[in-house]
Amino acid sequence: MKQHICIFGAGSIGCYVGGRMAVAGCTVTLIGRERLRLELMHSGLHLTDLLGADLHVKPDALCFVTGADAVADAELVLVTVKSADTAVAGRVLAKVLKPGTVVISFQNGMGNARLLHEALQQQIVLSGMVQFNVTNRGGGHFHQGSEGALEVEQHPAIEPFIAAFTKAGLPLKQHADMLPVQWAKLLLNLNNPINALSNLPLKTELSQRAFRKCIALAQTEGLRLMESAGIHPAKLTPLPPNWIPWLLKAPTWLFRLLANKMLAIDPLARSSMWEDLEAGRITEVDWLNGEIVRLAEKMGQHAPVNARLIKLIREAEVGGKRHWLGEDLLTELKQATKG
Ligand SMILES: NC(=O)c1ccc[n+]([C@@H]2O[C@H](COP(=O)([O-])OP(=O)(O)OC[C@H]3O[C@@H](n4cnc5c(N)ncnc54)[C@H](OP(=O)(O)O)[C@@H]3O)[C@@H](O)[C@H]2O)c1
């Protein structure tokens, strides 16, 4: 019998991962909003990646619903809502899921899987992590704009699904301990508000040294606090996390020479925080940079750079400045460190 896989929160990540699994022959139900259902019922799904994949799912081959009832007979549920929606997702899923269903949180941030676990005591809830970027280009087109794997917490319950992910071209990388992976991804995600405030594609933003210095400031602050707390982030990139701020601060010619992999990114790709600001949605900044501020508070310390980024994004969410120049943002963040 075919496994039934449900995607709860079909947006950029959900449609891309779920769509690729559907192309690979899996039985997939996408659960999302009516506006996207209507779009996909018209256009189907078009999935591309930076390595040249070009896949289509016709509208009549898609199962996209707006209610959670479909998860009742699912063997696997991938939760891909933004962090602000996790608590609701947990409550909705708790009403319908059968005991023993495997649920993977493929979300950024540190606390989403824990929140789901609290709501889903009879299910197997695992932490996951998406290392690559996906952009919604409209008209049912979702594009993977950077390289990277799908990471997941090691658990025997994952075994029956490994083949499906591999067939979809999204092999799972299992980790005995996901916490170092999540902290390392969090360090990379500290760039999300900077990218959103730059109003530039990621590749253009990273090609400007002033913006890279902003990222380095946010990461250095995060790394210092993690060290004080005894947290050792995993090595997700060719360089260990401690070296990345040095690479970012390098002159652009040297950065280009050394950071080929970091720049192997689609020229149009942007952070999902930029997409949230564009769509007038509340961003995930509290679940990303907010984790650094909370870590500092726990130890009686401060995280002024990340706190300032949160403030600027909060302002941008309600119509504040969204087109920062690199030098201006750098001055703003340096001022924050002077109190
Ligand atoms: N996009 C990326 O490149 C990327 C890369 C790595 C990791 N991530 C992480 O992956 C997670 C998902 O990101 P994303 O960019 O895919 O977000 P997204 O595009 O906003 O997709 C989430 C979708 O879920 C919908 N949703 C929320 N609550 C729902 C509910 N109760 N029932 C049905 N649908 C619901 C949202 O609708 P509304 O907008 O109407 O609420 C939205 O369409 C985030 O934690 C993000 O940080 C993203």
Side-chain angles (χ1 to χ4, degrees):
M1 202 184 71
K2 265 193 176 179
Q3 296 156 336
H4 183 200
I5 300 167
C6 284
I7 310 291
F8 192 86
S12 297
I13 293 298
C15 286
Y16 184 76
V17 173
R20 286 199 69 142
M21 296 187 92
V23 171
C26 301
T27 303
V28 177
T29 303
L30 302 173
I31 300 162
R33 303 297 194 194
E34 179 63 6
R35 61 172 190 280
L36 195 56
R37 191 189 73 80
L38 291 174
E39 184 179 314
L40 299 190
M41 286 306 110
H42 175 72
S43 58
L45 270 177
H46 181 199
L47 309 168
T48 53
D49 73 15
L50 74 169
L51 300 175
D54 193 350
L55 309 165
H56 291 266
V57 187
K58 291 202 173 117
D60 57 5
L62 262 180
C63 181
F64 192 115
V65 297
T66 53
D69 290 352
V71 300
D73 70 351
E75 279 82 31
L76 175 66
V77 178
L78 310 181
V79 176
T80 55
V81 295
K82 288 262 166 63
S83 303
D85 297 318
T86 306
V88 172
R91 282 199 292 277
V92 170
L93 291 172
K95 288 187 193 149
V96 214
L97 282 182
K98 62 186 178 203
T101 306
V102 179
V103 178
I104 306 177
S105 154
F106 274 129
Q107 301 165 278
N108 282 331
M110 302 300 298
N112 287 302
R114 193 182 56 238
L115 212 53
L116 288 172
H117 183 68
E118 281 164 16
L120 303 170
Q121 303 271 330
Q122 297 185 46
Q123 286 75 23
I124 300 164
V125 179
L126 304 174
S127 294
M129 183 62 67
V130 180
Q131 294 296 358
F132 50 80
N133 169 280
V134 175
T135 318
N136 179 354
R137 291 191 173 172
H141 183 185
F142 294 88
H143 180 74
Q144 178 183 338
S146 62
E147 283 185 59
L150 284 182
E151 323 266 348
V152 71
E153 186 180 336
Q154 206 166 38
H155 193 284
I158 282 291
E159 295 304 319
F161 307 105
I162 288 177
F165 283 96
T166 306
K167 204 167 166 215
L170 301 168
L172 289 177
K173 209 164 152 188
Q174 297 187 58
H175 296 267
D177 185 3
M178 275 296 284
L179 269 179
V181 176
Q182 288 175 304
W183 281 113
K185 181 75 195 299
L186 186 81
L187 282 168
L188 301 175
N189 285 140
L190 298 182
N191 176 42
N192 288 19
I194 298 165
N195 175 257
L197 293 168
S198 78
N199 199 34
L200 294 171
L202 283 158
K203 193 167 181 148
T204 316
E205 178 217 347
L206 285 172
S207 71
Q208 295 185 23
R209 193 178 187 192
F211 282 125
R212 293 201 307 276
K213 285 184 176 174
C214 293
I215 310 169
L217 278 180
Q219 286 197 355
T220 303
E221 185 173 272
L223 281 160
R224 174 180 55 77
L225 290 160
M226 287 182 198
E227 197 182 341
S228 301
I231 294 166
H232 304 289
K235 180 173 171 288
L236 298 180
T237 48
L239 286 182
N242 277 326
W243 291 19
I244 294 179
W246 296 104
L247 176 67
L248 289 165
K249 285 188 283 189
T252 297
W253 67 267
L254 186 58
F255 177 74
R256 283 216 170 100
L257 200 72
L258 298 175
N260 271 344
K261 214 151 184 157
M262 212 180 265
L263 288 170
I265 182 165
D266 183 86
L268 298 179
R270 297 182 185 245
S271 68
S272 63
M273 198 173 290
W274 177 85
E275 285 187 1
D276 284 340
L277 286 185
E278 275 295 289
R281 291 186 296 246
I282 295 297
T283 70
E284 283 187 307
V285 74
D286 269 345
W287 287 268
L288 302 176
N289 306 70
E291 283 292 347
I292 300 296
V293 173
R294 284 188 289 278
L295 185 63
E297 281 166 358
K298 261 195 235 161
M299 297 186 294
Q301 298 188 34
H302 298 287
V305 173
N306 285 284
R308 183 63 60 95
L309 284 167
I310 295 172
K311 181 172 174 283
L312 296 178
I313 289 289
R314 287 275 165 266
E315 287 168 5
E317 282 171 353
V318 291
K321 186 170 170 182
R322 284 190 48 207
H323 299 75
W324 284 79
L325 295 175
E327 288 299 342
D328 292 350
L329 188 58
L330 187 57
T331 306
E332 177 85 15
L333 297 183
K334 281 182 176 165
Q335 267 167 9
T337 63
K338 291 177 187 142

